[in-house]
Structures are given as C-alpha cells and as structure tokens.
Amino acid sequence: MSGRITTVSKPPKLERKKRVAAYARVSSGKDAMLHSLSAQVSHYSDLIQRNSDWLYAGVYADEAKTGTKDSRADFQRLIADCHAGKIDMVITKSISRFARNTVTLLQTVRDFKAWEVDIFFEEQNIHTMSADGELMLTILASYAQEESRSASENQKWRIKRNFEEGMPWNGAMLGYRLKDGRYEIVPKEAALVRRIYNEYLAGYGYQAVAKRLTEEGVPSRFGGKWNQSVVSKILSNYTYTGNLLLQKTFRENHITKKTVINHGELPKYHAEDAHDAIISIETFHAVQTEKARRAAQFNKKPAPRTTYPFTSLLVCDICGKNYRRKTTKTGIVWVCGTFNTLGKSVCASKQIPEATLQQVTAEVLGVKAFTREQLHSRVQSIRVCNGNILVFCFKDGSEVTRTWKDRSRAESWTDEMKEAARRKTLERSKHNA
C-alpha cells in the first residue's frame, strides 16, 4: 500500500537570550556616587534590562570587604551560580573591583571560561572569552596589585609615624573618644569600665558580669550584646591605665589583609601618661593577677567533648544559636544556648524533651525507630521556631515542618519524683492519723 508523503519543514531554532548578571563591590568609606553599592546595583540592573538580547540574572554585591575571594559572600554565590550553569556573562566595573590578587583573578577567570561564562570588565573594555583577553588581564591585574601594595605601604608608613609620636590608632573603645589624636574620657562610660573592673575583683566572672549588665539594660559601646568576650577585652585593655602599648598587631600583607599578633616581628611602642587614666595601674595589674590565678585553677586538660545525635543540628529561630543537651529534674531536654546562659529575657525559646525530639524525627524520616545514622545522612539542620514548630532542612534542599506536643504533667514526672511524692503522701497520712 502506497501513500503520499508530505514533507514538513522544521521551525527555525529560537535563539536563547544571554543570561547576564553583574558583580559590584564597594570598599567602605572609599566609593561615592556610581561607586556606591546602591548606585552600582541600580546602574547594572538598568543596563542589563535595557538590552533586549539579554535576560536579567541578578546583581551580586559585596560591601566593605577586602579584595580576596574567600571573604566575599556574594562573590562566592556568583561563582556557585556560574558553575551551576545559571549565568552566561558577568559584567563588572573593573579588574580591581573583581579581585586585587592576580593569582585569584586568573584562577577565577579560567574557571569561568571552563564553564563557558564570559566576564566583561567595563573600565578596561575586556571580554575574557576573547582571544587576547587573558593576556591583557594578566598585565592589567599586575598593575592593580602593585597599586594596592603601594597604597598599603603608604598607610603603614603613616601608622608607624603616629606610633612613634605616641598617637593612638583605635577610636572605638568604651570610655574614651579619640579627638585630635588623643583620648578624651567619656565620664558615664568610664564609670562603667570601673564597675566592670571592681565586679571582677569582687569575684564575678566574665559571664556573670555580662549577664548583670544585660539584665539591667546597660548599653554597650555600639549597642551590641554583652558577652564574656567583650568583658574579657575590657579587663585586658592596658590603655585604661593612661598608657599606650602600640603596634600589638599588624596586617600580614596587602593581599590577605589578615591581622596577626605582633610577636616581635615589628617594634612595639610604649607611651607613658599619653592620656587621663580610667583605671589605676595597680588595679589593672591586680585584675591581670586574678585572671592568671583563675586560669591556673580552671585550666585543666579538657575532657573529650561528648557529641550527641542532635549536636550542632538544632538551631534557634529566635537568636540563631545552637541548642545544647541538658539533664534536668524532669529528664533530658534540648535547650537554646542563649536561653540557657542568659535567660528568657534575652531569648524566649522553649526546651524540647529529647524523647519527643527523637519521636518527631523518626516520623519525619519515615522510620520506626530513631537512629543517629538516618538523621545525619539526610538532615542538614533543624530550625526550632515559636509555637512548638520544627523545620527539618534536608541535604537535598527540601524542608518538612512538624509541630511537637508538650508533655503532660504526668509524663514529666520521673520515677524519683513519683517515689518522693509517694513518701510525702504516706508521711501526711501518718501525721493525720
């Protein structure tokens, strides 16, 4: 049987629009107008969306960071999205905005080329996918890196000269304000510094001092939370004696800009009676002696840390701290670290009985009995929210929400508590008889 064959022409292949993103970076206090973060984001958003051949893939922006790759959150997100094939081209202002380090720049460019992602540097008018793009980048990036090194050396020279003249560098200290190169006392804050020193010498620890200040609503230098680290730094600050010990730290180099402790690599400068003292030198030394005594008393070799199935997995949705395991009169529970240390006034979270937690987890995982192996192989984290809500975040990106029930009063009673109640009832009966 024969039939007529009809030839059907294929429709023309539609050209996919190029997915274009932009990267912007601002160094705090240095850039203005178009260089400001908001102006850059607006500029690139308009630029990409005005081009009919481009598809807007977003603007990635970092603020007040150094030029190193690992320290920039949005830059890392941009790399991940390019690797995942979500972007075809990235626009950025200049080589120095993208990376100051030649090695980092070329490594990133080569990674992007392997993923077939083009980078366009506006200021230098360079496309990395072009034939001579990498050669030009190598030359220009070297100039950018040398400019960064020169600026760093000039800054170091100015700092060294100030140190030699006994001028302080840090103006963010509680109790003082830096004015015309000299510390001036802020009376109300100075009284707070003296209180912290006196309470420590009276027997309070770092955490106890921090808790008292928090409960009283005493503001810190910049309105942040009081904690043992903040109190410890205040109790270790030699500047409160009216003297200065300068260049205790220094920047490792102009690329990493990592601050390291000066163990003798550079000279230190000591300036006596540089400003009015808040703490006497005798009080300061008394605190340092007491700190050493307490450290020697408690600085024993720590026992190996015991980990439990939910260790580092439970995250408080109120304050962001991890939950920790705690043994109470009613049994084992998991409680927010902030709540456990600073109380309900700071974090109004709830403790969760471990048995309840295991039961809910088993139900979510679809297993009869809870096991550590199942939990760790599938769950990335568990957010603990208000209203007895648990949000299970799985490693595959999915989420499951469950509500747990509070224990009844009878369930909260341990065998010891029941026995104590039974004895009390018997004693009351004998007394009444």
Side-chain angles (χ1 to χ4, degrees), residues 352-391:
I352 312 172
E354 185 173 73
T356 302
L357 195 54
Q358 291 177 350
Q359 180 185 346
V360 174
T361 302
E363 292 173 0
V364 170
L365 296 177
V367 295
K368 291 182 179 179
F370 169 81
T371 64
R372 178 197 289 257
E373 291 71 23
Q374 284 277 3
L375 174 66
H376 283 245
S377 65
R378 296 173 58 187
V379 177
Q380 185 72 38
S381 64
I382 304 172
R383 293 203 310 276
V384 184
C385 309
N386 278 335
N388 292 18
I389 294 173
L390 297 174
V391 181

Side-chain angles (χ1 to χ4, degrees), residues 316 318-319 323 335-336 338-339 344 347-351 384 386:
C316 179
I318 297 175
C319 69
Y323 269 58
V335 60
C336 168
T338 301
F339 174 88
K344 190 175 182 178
C347 180
S349 55
K350 289 180 66 173
Q351 61 185 26
V384 184
N386 278 335

Side-chain angles (χ1 to χ4, degrees), residues 17 35 54 76 134 145 162 169 185 197 278 289 371 396:
K17 288 187 176 182
H35 292 179
W54 290 352
Q76 292 298 310
E134 186 165 326
Q145 186 169 327
N162 289 341
W169 179 250
I185 288 180
Y197 272 74
I278 293 177
T289 301
T371 64
D396 62 5

Side-chain angles (χ1 to χ4, degrees), residues 181-206:
R182 184 181 174 88
Y183 281 133
E184 289 191 356
I185 288 180
V186 180
K188 189 174 181 179
E189 291 184 6
L192 178 56
V193 172
R194 294 187 192 100
R195 171 186 168 176
I196 292 172
Y197 272 74
N198 291 335
E199 288 190 357
Y200 185 79
L201 288 175
Y204 290 94
Y206 303 147

Side-chain angles (χ1 to χ4, degrees), residues 199-389:
E199 288 190 357
Y200 185 79
L201 288 175
Y204 290 94
Y206 303 147
Q207 191 60 55
V209 173
K211 187 174 182 179
R212 284 163 65 90
L213 295 174
T214 300
E215 289 174 347
E216 294 175 21
V218 177
S220 64
R221 172 68 172 85
F222 294 103
K225 294 181 179 179
W226 288 100
N227 56 53
Q228 58 184 15
S229 176
V230 173
V231 174
S232 175
K233 287 179 180 178
I234 291 173
L235 292 170
S236 303
N237 199 330
Y238 180 65
T239 303
Y240 289 127
T241 64
N243 306 304
L244 290 173
L245 183 59
L246 303 171
Q247 199 155 263
K248 292 179 288 187
T249 62
F250 63 94
R251 288 286 179 86
E252 187 176 50
N253 56 56
H254 69 286
I255 296 175
T256 65
K257 297 186 179 180
K258 179 182 177 183
T259 299
V260 296
I261 297 174
N262 183 4
H263 292 295
E265 295 88 347
L266 296 175
K268 293 180 182 179
Y269 301 89
H270 185 255
E272 295 182 352
D273 299 323
H275 50 271
D276 292 332
I278 293 177
I279 298 297
S280 70
I281 192 69
E282 292 79 16
T283 299
F284 180 80
H285 286 314
V287 165
Q288 307 319 304
T289 301
E290 177 63 13
K291 286 172 68 176
R293 186 192 69 79
R294 295 188 194 182
Q297 182 180 354
F298 296 105
N299 192 20
K300 298 177 182 178
K301 188 175 181 181
R305 185 183 174 216
T306 303
T307 60
Y308 303 94
F310 293 99
T311 299
S312 301
L313 286 183
L314 293 169
V315 182
C316 179
D317 198 55
I318 297 175
C319 69
K321 294 292 185 180
N322 283 338
Y323 269 58
R324 61 180 64 169
R325 193 175 190 261
K326 184 176 182 180
T327 301
T328 67
K329 292 181 179 179
T330 59
I332 297 172
V333 299
W334 284 81
V335 60
C336 168
T338 301
F339 174 88
N340 189 58
T341 304
L342 300 176
K344 190 175 182 178
S345 61
V346 180
C347 180
S349 55
K350 289 180 66 173
Q351 61 185 26
I352 312 172
E354 185 173 73
T356 302
L357 195 54
Q358 291 177 350
Q359 180 185 346
V360 174
T361 302
E363 292 173 0
V364 170
L365 296 177
V367 295
K368 291 182 179 179
F370 169 81
T371 64
R372 178 197 289 257
E373 291 71 23
Q374 284 277 3
L375 174 66
H376 283 245
S377 65
R378 296 173 58 187
V379 177
Q380 185 72 38
S381 64
I382 304 172
R383 293 203 310 276
V384 184
C385 309
N386 278 335
N388 292 18
I389 294 173

Side-chain angles (χ1 to χ4, degrees), residues 16-31:
R16 179 172 63 83
K17 288 187 176 182
K18 183 178 290 188
R19 298 164 297 177
V20 180
Y23 177 71
R25 181 173 68 84
V26 170
S27 298
S28 180
K30 296 181 181 178
D31 299 341

